[in-house]
Amino acid sequence: MKKIVMCLLLACAATACKEDILEQYPKGSLSSGDLSNKTAAEALVVASYALLDGVYNGPIETIFNPASNWSYSDVRSDDAYKGGGGTGDLGELNSLELGIIAPDNSLIERKWRALYFAVARCNKALKSLNSVPDAGFPEKATRIAEVRVLRAHYYFELKRHFYTFPYLDESVVEGQEGKVANTLTSEQLWQKITDDLTAAALVLPPTQTDLGRVNKFVAYAYLAKVNLYQRKWAETITAADQVINSGQYRLQANLEALYSDPNVEHGGENIFAVETTVTDGSTTSGLLNWGDLLTSPPGPAYGGGDHFHRPSQNLVNAFKVDANGLPLLDTFNNSDLSPSATTVPVDPRLDHAIGRPGITWKDFRGEVYGNNWIREGATYGPYSKKKNIIYVNSPLRAAQGFPWALGALNFPLIKYSDLLLWKAEALIESGGNLEDARALINQIRTRAANTPPVLTLNGAAPAATYRIGTYPTAGWTQAYARKALRMERRLELCMEGHRFYDLVRYGDAAATLTTYAQQETPKRPFLSAFRFTANKNEYLPIPQNEIDRSGGVLTQNQFYR
């Protein structure tokens, strides 16, 4: 089923990494003289995929450096609290949550290093590919294009986290990487990322034999994302249409399955994902999403859990609806939805995404989610992340205990629903066809209305009062459409590592998060220490250790000087 990921462990072993990532490439059992052959080149390509999960120095490092970005995005936004065993549990993350962001934070350094290990693998793969003769290697151009998409992804992550960074490609002489400064402008860095994706899209085939390999439409989807971040609306629409018109992607009909069942993850909604696998469902683990290990609840379903990444009351409130099943765009946070409320009408996506007291948990029939599932409830409230956690009874779980809720459930990096909302946003912001934007948003809301609802434990009835409607044409102005689009992104994509970056893109991070902290602090007193400094906290600082190692080649980004 997942052919490419079965090769990742072998490929990773062939490219073991060295300490000073800006000083030289990772070294391993393959010497430079070994790389000019197809076998070595193919192994290095697969190794470039391997770091999509962020595992650059063993699973423990990745637990604190999740590919899902929950700790770098959701916890820094109004969607989630840090969670865990109290504010002192993983204090570096508590600092990020409160806006206390410093260049010596170890989580920031882990993010930087993981991404540069990945870039180094991509560049080593490209050097190898370029050195292999074309004869006898018909896949060569495709493999080069795959690696360019992967490199663009890793650099995109550096761009939205750190703003500036040294751009290293395969032309840099080995051993000279640490002499490359971060002097390119923001526009130049975006162009480098765009160039990789554009070139790859022209070469990649529409489909690949191996599941997990990027294809032409992954490149176009990423082009849409990169253009969206630059507010290039026409280019966003053009790239998104390449994917939409391909006919290869669609909305998954069952949201619970989309978030829980590895058997549907190649069904058309996940355009690009971190691929995972287990060997046979026993205690022997395969390639897992270690970055989300900490996020499962400690109740009986999974035999334990650390309960980080906890949904905020503000996010829960956002799922309340009016009589027509539409969001309360301006007033959703005027009152709190009671944790166990089942008669107040809510968007049905609430109970697919968030664990609430008294509500059934996926396919677990031992009991409903309750107080014994909740860690540090007095600090972080009663809710749990429910989305993108494997079914309790899935044969593709890694084990029935530790590592808790991990298994062969891919983590989506780009979903079709996300792409539809990018196009809708571009139409709205450009003053384009507002009716087309409304249709795209309603397509997603219709899917939510038609998906099987969460049921009571005995399966006899819906677990709560669910109501969702579509937006009418009347009153659909640009200003209203903008509000609706931004709320739809929050409801549809919550707890998937998008929210903070969206707020930064909108230019709303400072205002939204300051108001959020003021309103949330009476319920969560630890947020009284929250501060957001505009034109600073939108990005992370370059790690001080990396600046020190560079001997003055690297300079701090403009926000933290």
Side-chain angles (χ1 to χ4, degrees):
M1 175 182 171
K2 300 181 179 179
K3 298 179 182 178
I4 191 169
V5 296
M6 302 304 290
C7 306
L8 293 182
L9 289 175
L10 178 61
C12 291
T15 55
C17 296
K18 188 174 171 62
E19 178 70 15
D20 297 322
I21 56 175
L22 289 183
E23 294 300 325
Q24 64 183 64
Y25 280 106
K27 290 185 176 180
S29 59
L30 294 177
S31 67
S32 296
D34 295 326
L35 303 184
S36 298
N37 63 82
K38 180 180 177 181
T39 300
E42 289 279 23
L44 288 166
V45 171
V46 176
S48 299
Y49 279 96
L51 275 181
L52 286 172
D53 66 5
V55 180
Y56 72 95
N57 194 27
I60 296 301
E61 286 289 336
T62 309
I63 288 171
F64 306 117
N65 174 47
S68 63
N69 283 323
W70 66 263
S71 54
Y72 300 100
S73 176
D74 293 341
V75 169
R76 294 170 64 204
S77 79
D78 49 355
D79 269 8
Y81 317 126
K82 173 183 73 69
T87 58
D89 189 3
L90 194 51
E92 300 95 328
L93 181 51
N94 185 62
S95 295
L96 291 184
E97 178 174 23
L98 297 179
I100 305 168
I101 301 176
D104 61 354
N105 189 308
S106 65
L107 297 183
I108 295 173
E109 184 174 11
R110 283 187 172 99
K111 188 66 171 178
W112 177 276
R113 292 177 70 77
L115 291 169
Y116 267 107
F117 275 122
V119 166
R121 284 193 185 179
C122 291
N123 288 337
K124 194 166 189 174
L126 288 170
K127 284 189 175 185
S128 176
L129 287 162
N130 289 329
S131 69
V132 178
D134 293 349
F137 195 180
E139 307 89 357
K140 177 178 173 178
T142 296
R143 297 292 182 259
I144 290 172
E146 289 177 44
V147 176
R148 293 189 74 174
V149 172
L150 295 172
R151 184 171 66 182
H153 165 70
Y154 298 130
Y155 273 130
F156 173 81
E157 286 290 291
L158 281 161
K159 187 72 182 76
R160 69 173 174 176
H161 284 94
F162 298 100
Y163 188 77
T164 182
F165 48 88
Y167 187 88
L168 311 174
D169 63 19
E170 71 276 19
S171 69
V172 178
V173 176
E174 188 165 349
Q176 301 299 305
E177 296 86 2
K179 297 181 180 180
V180 178
N182 54 325
T183 53
L184 293 182
T185 66
S186 180
E187 291 74 17
Q188 288 171 324
L189 291 171
W190 279 125
Q191 191 60 53
K192 293 282 190 183
I193 296 168
T194 300
D195 288 347
D196 265 349
L197 294 169
T198 302
L202 297 175
V203 173
L204 284 165
T207 60
Q208 294 264 35
T209 301
D210 295 336
L211 295 175
R213 289 191 186 272
V214 300
N215 61 31
K216 178 184 297 290
F217 301 113
V218 174
Y220 277 120
Y222 229 120
L223 271 172
K225 188 173 190 176
V226 168
N227 284 311
L228 182 86
Y229 270 70
Q230 299 174 84
R231 302 179 68 82
K232 294 182 176 180
W233 308 123
E235 293 89 341
T236 300
I237 295 167
T238 297
D241 278 343
Q242 289 281 347
V243 183
I244 295 168
N245 295 336
S246 74
Q248 290 186 201
Y249 302 97
R250 65 200 61 83
L251 296 176
Q252 166 62 235
N254 186 323
L255 280 175
E256 184 175 286
L258 177 65
Y259 300 152
S260 314
D261 186 359
N263 293 308
V264 305
E265 59 199 13
H266 290 289
E269 177 136 2
N270 288 353
I271 298 173
F272 185 37
V274 178
E275 298 278 334
T276 63
T277 186
V278 293
T279 53
D280 59 0
S282 71
T283 56
T284 302
S285 297
L287 292 161
L288 305 177
N289 181 14
W290 288 102
D292 281 8
L293 171 70
L294 299 178
T295 66
S296 60
Y302 299 104
D306 296 283
H307 221 198
F308 282 76
H309 195 195
R310 304 278 289 280
S312 69
Q313 184 65 53
N314 185 285
L315 174 61
V316 170
N317 292 343
F319 284 89
K320 293 186 295 184
V321 297
D322 65 16
N324 297 312
L326 295 176
L328 308 176
L329 298 178
D330 298 311
T331 61
F332 71 90
N333 207 44
N334 286 359
S335 62
D336 289 341
L337 183 69
S338 174
S340 57
T342 58
T343 59
V344 177
V346 294
D347 186 310
R349 288 174 289 186
L350 170 61
D351 288 330
H352 289 295
I354 294 172
R356 291 198 294 156
I359 302 295
T360 309
W361 182 277
K362 298 181 182 280
D363 62 338
F364 184 65
R365 294 298 176 263
E367 63 185 52
V368 294
Y369 177 94
N371 291 334
N372 58 317
W373 297 52
I374 298 165
R375 189 181 183 198
E376 286 289 325
T379 305
Y380 295 117
Y383 306 112
S384 177
K385 185 190 87 164
K386 194 176 184 183
K387 180 186 283 191
N388 295 326
I389 294 181
I390 197 167
Y391 274 136
V392 176
N393 298 311
S394 173
L396 293 173
R397 276 182 64 188
Q400 295 305 306
F402 185 85
W404 315 137
L406 295 189
L409 185 66
N410 291 353
F411 183 82
L413 297 173
I414 299 178
K415 294 188 343 188
Y416 189 61
S417 53
D418 199 4
L419 180 121
L420 293 180
L421 292 173
W422 294 339
K423 181 178 178 182
E425 181 176 344
L427 288 167
I428 292 165
E429 295 298 338
S430 65
N433 191 321
L434 292 179
E435 277 299 298
D436 282 356
R438 188 177 69 87
L440 290 167
I441 295 170
N442 281 344
Q443 186 177 338
I444 291 169
R445 294 183 65 79
T446 299
R447 186 265 296 273
N450 292 337
T451 197
V454 175
L455 301 175
T456 54
L457 198 61
N458 63 7
T465 304
Y466 302 124
R467 182 182 299 160
I468 185 168
T470 55
Y471 287 100
T473 301
W476 189 252
T477 63
Q478 185 186 44
Y480 183 79
R482 179 181 293 118
K483 283 186 180 181
L485 178 281
R486 293 180 179 183
M487 177 63 88
E488 198 65 25
R489 283 194 61 80
R490 190 180 191 193
L491 299 175
E492 178 67 21
L493 302 168
C494 69
M495 308 299 285
E496 294 187 44
H498 298 288
R499 178 64 172 170
F500 181 81
Y501 311 122
D502 281 346
L503 291 174
V504 171
R505 288 194 304 104
Y506 303 152
D508 286 348
T512 297
L513 297 181
T514 298
T515 299
Y516 157 73
Q518 291 170 347
Q519 294 175 343
E520 204 85 348
T521 294
K523 291 163 275 196
R524 309 286 178 256
F526 72 91
L527 286 172
S528 63
F530 175 84
R531 299 290 183 275
F532 191 96
T533 303
N535 300 315
K536 178 179 180 179
N537 284 22
E538 290 88 348
Y539 294 93
L540 299 173
I542 295 175
Q544 189 60 47
N545 281 341
E546 297 298 333
I547 293 175
D548 294 343
R549 288 188 189 105
S550 77
V553 174
L554 282 180
T555 58
Q556 186 56 266
N557 66 40
Q558 65 194 62
F559 310 105
Y560 288 88
R561 291 174 189 164

